[in-house]
Amino acid sequence: FRSEDDILLTRDGKLAAVDAATSVTQSNLQRQKRQLTELQSEAAGYERRGQDLPSTLRERIAEIERSIAASYESIVRREQEKDRIRQGFDTDLGRFRALKRLAAAVGAGAKEPPPQRRQTFADLDNVVLCDNPSACQALWARAKEFVGQRATTPLQLFGPNIHMTALPKADQDLSLTLSLIANPDDQGGVLFLDLQCHRTAIGKQFCSSPAVGKILKDFKPFVQQPQ
């Protein structure tokens, strides 16, 4: 790298590429959720008529449910990858400054200002980390309670690592999805909360309102509060 700007531009390009991939996954998630709603509605028709569910329909529902869980895991992994990218470029930036003696360039005897602490994945309002399976399950129970209190749509999909309410139907509906992702390198994990509003203009405005922002802000304190 020939300058700090080179380092930062390269870093930002890599982060943007990760964000672009996440955007595609989020779009696929919306499609998958709509497909699940349609399939579950079809299954409910069989149940109302007292008929057995066709095995093909049951398998399609299970496949979509697995795809939704996998999509959320992919989003979490990419957010963690962004942390690794930032950390790597922080190291490059520190090495560059040391080599160029930038601290000495600001004046005789002056010190380079300490770097500001950057936000990490663990700092996000919709992320809670857990250290072991027992801690993860305790936090998971609290997180499901939070979803039950704050979501305005009914529970649609639930399991040991996903807890999802139905898609929004009205402008001020709020759908919440909770995922529990195990860390591959240790016994801990990540609880990840996703929030979705109606796709109308009013729904999008509602999603950016202080009331919805407060729901995200409240998630971590609610889940982590002492029992």
Side-chain angles (χ1 to χ4, degrees), residues 152-227:
T152 64
T153 59
L155 189 63
Q156 182 183 26
L157 173 61
F158 59 93
N161 64 349
I162 192 161
H163 196 76
M164 184 181 87
T165 70
L167 288 168
K169 292 184 177 180
D171 287 333
Q172 293 197 331
D173 268 347
L174 191 62
S175 171
L176 295 177
T177 300
L178 182 67
S179 299
L180 175 58
I181 313 297
N183 286 335
D185 300 328
D186 55 45
Q187 295 296 309
V190 177
L191 277 71
F192 181 78
L193 181 72
D194 184 44
L195 183 151
Q196 183 183 355
C197 302
H198 203 254
R199 293 190 298 164
T200 62
I202 297 176
K204 291 176 181 177
Q205 184 178 7
F206 172 65
C207 227
S208 60
S209 68
V212 173
K214 186 175 184 307
I215 289 174
L216 281 178
K217 288 284 186 185
D218 288 346
F219 174 64
K220 187 176 290 188
F222 183 95
V223 173
Q224 293 179 327
Q225 66 182 315
Q227 297 297 309

Side-chain angles (χ1 to χ4, degrees), residues 7-226:
I7 295 173
L8 297 176
L9 284 171
T10 304
R11 179 203 64 188
D12 291 348
K14 288 182 178 293
L15 292 174
V18 176
D19 284 337
T22 298
S23 244
V24 172
T25 302
Q26 288 170 334
S27 296
N28 289 337
L29 261 173
Q30 304 315 309
R31 176 181 51 79
Q32 291 164 351
K33 289 181 179 182
R34 289 193 295 271
Q35 286 178 337
L36 180 61
T37 299
E38 293 167 0
L39 291 171
Q40 288 178 333
S41 178
E42 186 179 346
Y46 280 95
E47 291 175 356
R48 284 193 300 269
R49 295 190 296 270
Q51 298 174 332
D52 291 337
L53 226 62
S55 60
T56 53
L57 178 56
R58 189 180 296 108
E59 289 166 4
R60 286 169 63 199
I61 291 174
E63 182 182 357
I64 289 293
E65 290 175 347
R66 288 192 297 268
S67 294
I68 289 172
S71 292
Y72 276 111
E73 180 171 357
S74 174
I75 289 173
V76 169
R77 299 295 183 219
R78 288 197 186 105
E79 289 299 320
Q80 292 171 325
E81 174 63 17
K82 286 167 67 176
D83 264 4
R84 289 188 286 271
I85 290 170
R86 292 188 185 100
Q87 184 177 356
F89 278 93
D90 283 351
T91 300
D92 290 341
L93 192 57
R95 195 176 293 126
F96 179 87
R97 286 172 172 168
L99 290 172
K100 294 295 184 180
R101 304 181 185 277
L102 293 184
V106 298
K111 293 183 178 179
E112 184 179 359
Q116 292 185 342
R117 182 182 180 275
R118 59 178 175 80
Q119 187 183 58
T120 68
F121 174 67
D123 296 322
L124 298 177
D125 292 327
N126 61 334
V127 167
V128 174
L129 305 185
C130 49
D131 295 329
N132 55 68
S134 176
C136 290
Q137 287 308 310
L139 294 171
W140 179 250
R142 290 286 295 160
K144 289 193 294 184
E145 184 181 344
F146 181 87
V147 169
Q149 291 181 9
R150 306 305 174 90
T152 64
T153 59
L155 189 63
Q156 182 183 26
L157 173 61
F158 59 93
N161 64 349
I162 192 161
H163 196 76
M164 184 181 87
T165 70
L167 288 168
K169 292 184 177 180
D171 287 333
Q172 293 197 331
D173 268 347
L174 191 62
S175 171
L176 295 177
T177 300
L178 182 67
S179 299
L180 175 58
I181 313 297
N183 286 335
D185 300 328
D186 55 45
Q187 295 296 309
V190 177
L191 277 71
F192 181 78
L193 181 72
D194 184 44
L195 183 151
Q196 183 183 355
C197 302
H198 203 254
R199 293 190 298 164
T200 62
I202 297 176
K204 291 176 181 177
Q205 184 178 7
F206 172 65
C207 227
S208 60
S209 68
V212 173
K214 186 175 184 307
I215 289 174
L216 281 178
K217 288 284 186 185
D218 288 346
F219 174 64
K220 187 176 290 188
F222 183 95
V223 173
Q224 293 179 327
Q225 66 182 315

